[in-house]
Amino acid sequence: MKSAKPQTYHVKSFGCQMNVYDGERMAELLEAEGMRAAQGGEADLVVLNTCHIREKAAEKVYSDIGRLKREDGSRPMIAVAGCVAQAEGAEIPRRAASVDIVVGPQAYHRLPQLIATASQGKKALDTDMPVQSKFGALPARRRQGPSAFLTVQEGCDKFCTYCVVPYTRGAEVSRSWQAIIEEAKALIGAGAREITLLGQNVNAWTGLDDRGRPCGLDGLIRALDREPGLERIRYTTSHPNDMTAALIEAHRDVGKLMPFLHLPVQSGSDRVLQAMNRSHRTADYLAILERVREARPDIAISGDFIVGFPGESDAEFEETLKIVKRVNYAQAYSFKYSPRPGTPAADMDQQVPAQVMDERLQRLQALLNEQQHAFNRAAMGRRTSVLLERQGRRPGQLIGKSPWLQSVHLETDAMIGDLVEVEIVAAGPNSLSGAEIMRNAA
Ligand code: SAH
Ligand code: SF4
Ligand code: F3S
């Protein structure tokens, strides 16, 4: 079927923040091509920017494709991007014939050519991981909210035995200092007051600073700290192995670096960690957190957990509960192990029965929720800054984030993008309410 070149687009992103970032960059690219944003299936081109991390996430794309059929029987041009595209490639149009374009996470700068091919009625597939990175070929950053993502590092060389990311995103690559600083300045110029530096192993970022000296993520953070107009710096996701002394010191010294650290441990059992090919042990993890908390006593700790990794015994799961109690998380994500095609763990013996995983996940989440609620309650009466990010449900209500990444609701005549001082007056399990104290003049 030949179709006209699309005039409107819609990008829908699933998965991690890096995918959200890629989705924004694809939208900017399509705008630079003269296309306009449209709602869902009404758009001429729909890009499903997919996630392959767990089976449920990966299967979702197929039900989404089915739903794109319009009432009159027509459908938009459909592009599958992201990690499912990389992992399944040509298999996707075989399984869902309505897919026109398949494009991997390192190749989406070539979307314009792929769209041209698809407009001629041909299937277009690009899952290359070109040496010349996509970043150089993408248009400059544009319109942005007060809080922006900036990918500084791509890919992963860690090969945890359960994980698809090293296969879907490729090897660890750091973007250059210059490219990152330039993009940060563009984001700040477009209104960003907070930047979150992104990477699957963001703290493995290395490069040469503006004077040609080797430096790590801490160096980048210190450089951003000097950027006028930027108020807050965050980074995610970190791996325990790359938590350098210099980065920990940055948490002590850098005023704009927010007191929040997402540092996944996955399991509290050293035997399981070894089977996962996590190269840290629980003692290493706890020692890192001790040093981080020494550097920044009010830091909020977040993490990721997998329950039911092949061979995980009841006693080993209890060790996960134990480390959670030791650490006391401000928030965390926890998942049932999902066997992924091509990963070593998928072929391991002793897969844990679904019902056992369900029970373990429930117990773990109950504990984590309790800790999160307690962390929020501890904010009661505290004065803190809030960066206002979006409208709330009620008129006059805005929602922003505390330095500890808690959502704060507030009645105010301030504007989105303002940094306001509030007193926390109510604390729920998932968010806080604040009363404004004074407006930051900056
Ligand atoms: N690079 C990050 C996280 C990447 S994926 C890190 O190493 O911390 C985000 C989270 O998804 C992981 O931390 C892990 O908890 C979870 N995850 C990854 N693969 C999974 C799988 N096969 N089944 C269940 N959870 C998984
Ligand atoms: Fe996946 Fe492990 Fe790499 Fe994180 S460090 S992306 S969990 S392989
Ligand atoms: Fe998912 Fe790919 Fe991110 S698998 S978690 S979208 S890197």
Side-chain angles (χ1 to χ4, degrees), residues 14-16 18-19 50-53 83 164-165 168-169 200:
F14 306 87
C16 62
M18 302 191 66
N19 247 21
T50 59
C51 173
H52 200 244
I53 201 83
C83 290
V164 293
V165 171
T168 63
R169 293 262 163 183
Q200 283 300 349

Side-chain angles (χ1 to χ4, degrees), residues 16 216 224 242 305 339 408 414:
C16 62
L224 289 178
D242 299 311
F305 297 90
V408 184

Side-chain angles (χ1 to χ4, degrees), residues 79-102:
V80 175
C83 290
V84 177
Q86 192 65 41
E88 297 184 0
E91 188 56 31
I92 298 170
R94 274 199 284 275
R95 212 177 133 183
S98 55
V99 172
D100 303 289
I101 298 171
V102 176

